[in-house]
Amino acid sequence: MVRKKLTAREGRGWMSGTLFCTHFRVAFVPQDGPKPDDNTDPVLLGDHDVALASIEKVVVVGPNRTKLVSPNSSLKFTPEELLLYCRDMRVICFLFDRLTPDAQVLEITYTIAKTYQPLKPGSVLSFQNAALGSVEMKQFLSNRRRDARMNWFDSASDWEQELERCGATGWRVSSVNDRFEMSTSLSRFIVVPQKVLDTELKKSFAHFNEGRIPRWCWRHPRGSDLLRMSIFQNNIYHEKDDIRNLEMVLFGCQNSLCVVVELGDELPSPSDIQLAHSRLRTLCLGDVSTSVSVPDDKWLSTLESTHWLDHVRLCLRKASEVACLLRSGHLTVALQEPEDRDMSCVVSSLVQVMSDPHCRSQHGFQSLVQKEWVMAGHRFYSRINYHRDNDKEEAPVFLLFLDCVWQLWFQFPSRFQLTGDFLLALHDSIHLPLFSTFLGNCQRERCKRSQNLGQSYTPVNGWRDALQPDSSSDPSDPPLPPVWDWALQYSADRRACFTQPVPPTPPPQPLLNGNLNMKLDAHRPADSAPGSVFLLSRGSFTCPGNLPPWRSSASGVYKKSHRRAPSTENVPGLERLLKAWKLTATCGPQGPADAYEPLLPLLLVPCMGLWRECYLRGALHAQAFSHPVTSNHLHPVERLAQEVQQLQDKLAQLSPGADLDPPTVTTEPRHADANLNQNTNNATFLFSASKPRSVGKAAPPPSSNRHVSRAPPPTATPAPRPGGKDLGGSNKHTFLFGHSSVTEGRADPRYHPPPNAKLPKSDRP
């Protein structure tokens, strides 16, 4: 018998019910909830459940003390509250009922603490069996069919469908890696130029790290192609035929110009991403076990020191540069990363989200993740670290990508069919080791469950072991479901919030032989020699002599050079192209007028928002210990918010722009223990820029000593600044999520000019 503390999305307050702990989840059954219907399809997690694999730590609260509970710890007091810290930034708070025996309280606390810890690698398998091992669930999964509205990219026909959708006529689907002999990390099918034969293509794999050769990802409607590849091998001998084949693959269908975008030097490394995410998590959730929290006046500076928003900004800036290059038309842009499995996934996906309206729909976005992440060989299994035994490889690269997409959605919400609820659901699902989408580092590992290809020999790789089926699984068991089967996780009401209506996208202009209207872009440098290869690194173009390395007169060792080539006239032309597009592109609050122009986000510090719905949803539970709300005893934060509301109403009555008949406010006695902040010159504002849809009142990241304020009613107006000073006065307000005038074109309804201000004349009555 417990009471669960509800979040703002759930309506706040407390809900009585019963708490259960199984081998799969911690389930909370509301006392007054609807009875389960046996005819409905099974759902893995209820609205109030939390999976054991998602729990990061368990904290109990007693009389004037807190304690972090581990499997081997012992409690010397009876807990009054139970806090479950989840890996997805949630904090679930339960208050034990006074009628619950102490033995039951201790039993369920120890059970949760001992069950959620993965003691060995087999714990993940037992977790899957507990969730999907029942006869009913196996039968239900066997009858499930994949969503036909999205592209899964696991067959040659799927890739051909993508080529037809993008209008890439000069490319073909190759099955040269059908048995993963050329590259173990690439997918079975890759897209290469039509003029390159498979026999010639096999010789190119050895010249790139892990055999990840340049391969097609996407074509812009203007005719440019986006490629991905790893770095060139340094000590590989290049024959004449190899050089010809390599350049044919690198240039693709564009014979004149290729830009290699270096990603390794400018973008954060996986270790940097992991460190920034850990700091952000500590800032947002604090450490209840040690009662450590960041002071209010240092919260923004601490957020800046995490460098998480800096990493988001760098990824968006690099994707914007690539999108501008592709928009110019008639060139090949190749993303180069040492391993081609982390940041290239981020940049290539962001470029397509910016430039392709199809990728901003739910099914288009799911297809994009399948193509650029799942089939491209992103190491989901290692980066998520389900076993929690390989901290060196752990890095939330995919979560960084979701944050970047949220920034685009936040600035251009009307251009997205998918919503923030969809991004949040995908963010939470990645922490459940139940889906085949994330349980594997490449397609080869995912095929081990059902395929046995035997031993094979190639001149490049030699003998390779067979792909044996997974010995820990029963061949008769159905495969693990993909994460895109949302009916297994969420109800129909929750799934209905994943999309929003958007106007239909007009078809792109017709492509003739791969070129738009057979005319070159006005900004494109016309003096580029055939076969020119440029390097885009650190915001500038260079033309090093050893790029590609086989063009170097040295021994073939590839060394990056960022010095500008003074004799190259094409480099200033390319820079003018990029700068001209940045200056002429007008992306207002609703994005560019043309649906196929890239969505270039505002990257200034005030314009970058914090994903509050994700990162701050557990802050109140983590940093403010609470008690149940009764008629005689309100929550301290509720009392404080009530007094702040009364103060705002009084200020609204005294302001010059207030109505003559303000609403009557019922004054309640002032509480002596309230700690109101009377100094308005040092206030801190952490609210988002005005959004096109109402997502609730914005609030500062709550803490035990942070004041929560509510927005004034529509008829109330704020008091003028002391002395009539403007924003440049002595006030020290800090804005985190950007000014509304930056991202929205409408005026602030709360603004009222001073009494002596002169208003412009207008012909309107």
Side-chain angles (χ1 to χ4, degrees):
M1 298 176 61
V2 298
R3 274 175 283 186
K4 179 187 177 183
K5 186 176 182 181
L6 303 180
T7 61
R9 180 186 290 266
E10 298 171 339
R12 298 194 181 277
W14 295 82
M15 178 182 294
S16 300
T18 308
L19 191 64
F20 298 89
C21 181
T22 68
H23 291 286
F24 166 57
R25 60 181 174 173
V26 176
F28 174 78
V29 180
Q31 183 177 0
D32 300 330
K35 295 182 179 180
D37 188 1
D38 297 335
N39 297 326
T40 58
D41 295 336
V43 179
L44 295 176
L45 294 173
D47 294 337
H48 301 282
D49 299 345
V50 55
L52 291 173
S54 300
I55 300 177
E56 186 178 31
K57 62 181 179 180
V58 178
V59 176
V60 293
V61 181
N64 301 323
R65 61 184 305 183
T66 61
K67 182 177 179 58
L68 177 65
V69 183
S70 62
N72 299 324
S73 62
S74 60
L75 294 176
K76 298 181 180 180
F77 62 93
T78 301
E80 297 179 355
E81 293 186 37
L82 177 65
L83 297 177
L84 302 180
Y85 281 72
C86 302
R87 305 184 74 189
D88 54 9
M89 292 286 197
R90 290 183 300 162
V91 177
I92 313 298
C93 179
F94 298 101
L95 178 70
F96 292 107
D97 194 273
R98 295 181 179 180
L99 300 179
T100 304
D102 295 347
Q104 291 187 8
V105 173
L106 295 175
E107 180 183 3
I108 194 169
T109 301
Y110 283 128
T111 301
I112 297 175
K114 293 179 180 179
T115 309
Y116 86 94
Q117 289 282 4
L119 302 179
K120 54 184 178 180
S123 299
V124 175
L125 179 61
S126 62
F127 182 83
Q128 297 171 0
N129 292 333
L132 309 173
S134 63
V135 178
E136 294 79 4
M137 183 59 73
K138 288 183 179 180
Q139 183 179 3
F140 176 73
L141 293 178
S142 300
N143 299 328
R144 301 291 290 178
R145 295 294 180 263
R146 297 194 311 182
D147 191 351
R149 294 171 294 181
M150 62 171 290
N151 196 332
W152 296 84
F153 292 98
D154 56 357
S155 64
S157 59
D158 292 343
W159 287 96
E160 292 174 355
Q161 179 182 354
E162 180 69 7
L163 289 175
E164 182 180 359
R165 186 188 71 86
C166 297
T169 56
W171 301 83
R172 69 178 180 89
V173 181
S174 173
S175 59
V176 67
N177 197 40
D178 185 36
R179 299 174 64 88
F180 307 103
E181 298 170 351
M182 299 292 101
S183 176
T184 58
S185 61
L186 286 179
S187 61
R188 297 172 55 192
F189 304 99
I190 57 177
V191 178
V192 296
Q194 286 183 348
K195 53 188 176 183
V196 180
L197 302 177
D198 285 349
T199 55
E200 301 172 345
L201 191 64
K202 291 182 179 180
K203 301 178 182 179
S204 304
F205 285 89
H207 298 279
F208 295 89
N209 186 25
E210 297 187 7
R212 302 180 67 86
I213 62 173
R215 61 203 182 278
W216 180 87
C217 294
W218 178 70
R219 164 164 286 194
H220 193 277
R222 288 181 176 266
S224 300
D225 294 308
L226 178 65
L227 277 66
R228 289 175 55 178
M229 66 179 182
S230 62
I231 60 174
F232 302 104
Q233 293 285 5
N234 296 337
N235 301 321
I236 300 297
Y237 177 73
H238 308 287
E239 298 181 353
K240 292 184 178 180
D241 294 339
D242 296 342
I243 294 176
R244 182 179 63 86
N245 296 331
L246 286 172
E247 293 197 353
M248 289 174 63
V249 173
L250 184 61
F251 282 89
C253 299
Q254 314 295 337
N255 298 323
S256 59
L257 188 60
C258 175
V259 178
V260 177
V261 181
E262 177 64 39
L263 303 179
D265 295 339
E266 299 181 54
L267 299 182
S269 63
S271 58
D272 296 334
I273 298 175
Q274 173 64 15
L275 180 60
H277 190 265
S278 300
R279 291 175 176 175
L280 178 66
R281 180 183 184 83
T282 303
L283 172 64
C284 295
L285 298 183
D287 192 350
V288 178
S289 59
T290 58
S291 300
V292 175
S293 60
V294 179
D296 293 351
D297 56 347
K298 296 183 180 180
W299 202 92
L300 292 176
S301 59
T302 307
L303 174 63
E304 183 181 3
S305 63
T306 62
H307 299 295
W308 178 258
L309 293 180
D310 293 336
H311 297 339
V312 173
R313 187 180 300 107
L314 289 175
C315 295
L316 290 174
R317 178 182 292 113
K318 179 57 65 175
S320 301
E321 294 178 355
V322 177
C324 293
L325 284 175
L326 292 171
R327 185 259 179 194
S328 63
H330 318 294
L331 55 85
T332 300
V333 179
L335 305 180
Q336 184 183 59
E337 190 185 12
E339 295 183 354
D340 184 34
R341 303 181 72 175
D342 288 311
M343 302 313 298
S344 60
C345 301
V346 177
V347 175
S348 61
S349 302
L350 288 178
V351 169
Q352 298 177 54
V353 171
M354 291 178 178
S355 305
D356 193 347
H358 174 70
C359 298
R360 297 193 287 269
S361 64
Q362 178 184 351
H363 297 99
F365 186 83
Q366 294 176 174
S367 304
L368 175 66
V369 175
Q370 281 288 127
K371 179 179 65 171
E372 299 297 339
W373 293 82
V374 180
M375 293 300 168
H378 176 68
R379 291 188 289 262
F380 277 111
Y381 196 77
S382 300
R383 295 306 186 199
I384 301 174
N385 192 17
Y386 283 124
H387 293 313
R388 308 180 196 178
D389 58 353
N390 190 4
D391 297 338
K392 295 182 179 180
E393 294 290 332
E394 182 177 359
V397 181
F398 186 70
L399 301 185
L400 178 67
F401 163 69
L402 292 182
D403 200 326
C404 295
V405 177
W406 182 87
Q407 300 287 343
L408 294 173
W409 171 85
F410 181 73
Q411 296 192 23
F412 309 102
S414 62
R415 306 301 292 269
F416 282 80
Q417 188 209 20
L418 57 88
T419 62
D421 293 334
F422 173 81
L423 297 176
L424 188 62
L426 184 57
H427 174 277
D428 296 343
S429 301
I430 197 174
H431 300 285
L432 294 178
L434 297 176
F435 308 109
S436 59
T437 309
F438 306 131
L439 289 175
N441 291 329
C442 58
Q443 187 182 12
R444 182 177 183 271
E445 293 184 6
R446 296 181 181 92
C447 292
K448 287 183 179 181
R449 296 179 55 89
S450 58
Q451 291 186 359
N452 184 2
L453 301 182
Q455 197 175 31
S456 60
Y457 175 82
T458 60
V460 177
N461 299 322
W463 287 99
R464 288 195 175 272
D465 295 334
L467 284 178
Q468 300 293 343
D470 194 353
S471 59
S472 60
S473 61
D474 189 353
S476 61
D477 290 345
L480 293 176
V483 72
W484 315 121
D485 194 353
W486 297 111
L488 290 175
Q489 304 183 63
Y490 299 98
S491 61
D493 295 337
R494 292 286 301 274
R495 298 196 305 270
C497 300
F498 287 176
T499 58
Q500 64 181 2
V502 293
T505 303
Q509 300 182 23
L511 289 174
L512 302 177
N513 296 331
N515 294 331
L516 185 65
N517 298 332
M518 301 295 293
K519 294 181 180 180
L520 297 178
D521 192 272
H523 297 290
R524 178 177 176 248
D527 53 353
S528 58
S532 301
V533 181
F534 298 92
L535 177 67
L536 175 60
S537 179
R538 301 187 183 278
S540 61
F541 291 91
T542 57
C543 188
N546 57 351
L547 182 69
W550 51 82
R551 296 186 178 183
S552 175
S553 59
S555 58
V557 178
Y558 175 46
K559 298 181 179 179
K560 289 179 294 184
S561 174
H562 302 291
R563 295 178 299 176
R564 186 181 302 276
S567 60
T568 304
E569 298 180 358
N570 300 328
V571 173
L574 281 173
E575 291 183 344
R576 288 195 303 268
L577 180 151
L578 189 60
K579 293 180 180 179
W581 164 237
K582 284 186 177 181
L583 292 177
T584 57
T586 56
C587 290
Q590 305 302 325
D594 189 357
Y596 294 92
E597 295 290 346
L599 302 178
L600 300 182
L602 300 175
L603 301 179
L604 298 177
V605 175
C607 305
M608 301 293 295
L610 185 68
W611 194 358
R612 297 188 308 107
E613 293 82 2
C614 179
Y615 303 137
L616 299 181
R617 52 182 166 171
L620 180 61
H621 294 177
Q623 300 181 2
F625 300 145
S626 335
H627 302 281
V629 179
T630 62
S631 58
N632 299 326
H633 180 72
L634 295 178
H635 187 280
V637 177
E638 294 291 339
R639 296 200 308 266
L640 179 61
Q642 191 179 61
E643 295 180 9
V644 171
Q645 180 68 36
Q646 296 173 8
L647 180 60
Q648 290 178 341
D649 294 339
K650 293 180 180 179
L651 291 176
Q653 297 177 16
L654 300 176
S655 60
D659 297 336
L660 296 178
D661 297 327
T664 305
V665 180
T666 303
T667 306
E668 296 186 1
R670 183 182 182 88
H671 296 275
D673 57 347
N675 183 17
L676 294 178
N677 186 359
Q678 301 293 344
N679 186 2
T680 60
N681 291 335
N682 293 324
T684 303
F685 295 86
L686 284 107
F687 52 81
S688 308
S690 55
K691 298 183 181 181
R693 64 188 189 100
S694 59
V695 295
K697 301 180 180 67
S703 64
S704 57
N705 57 351
R706 182 175 295 276
H707 311 298
V708 179
S709 61
R710 296 181 177 177
T715 57
T717 54
R721 299 182 179 274
K725 294 183 180 180
D726 201 355
L727 292 175
S730 60
N731 297 334
K732 301 179 181 179
H733 299 287
T734 305
F735 294 87
L736 175 63
F737 298 143
H739 305 282
S740 59
S741 59
V742 179
T743 58
E744 297 288 345
R746 58 178 180 266
D748 190 351
R750 299 174 298 176
Y751 171 75
H752 293 272
N756 55 355
K758 296 183 179 180
L759 299 179
K761 297 182 179 179
S762 176
D763 297 335
R764 298 181 180 179

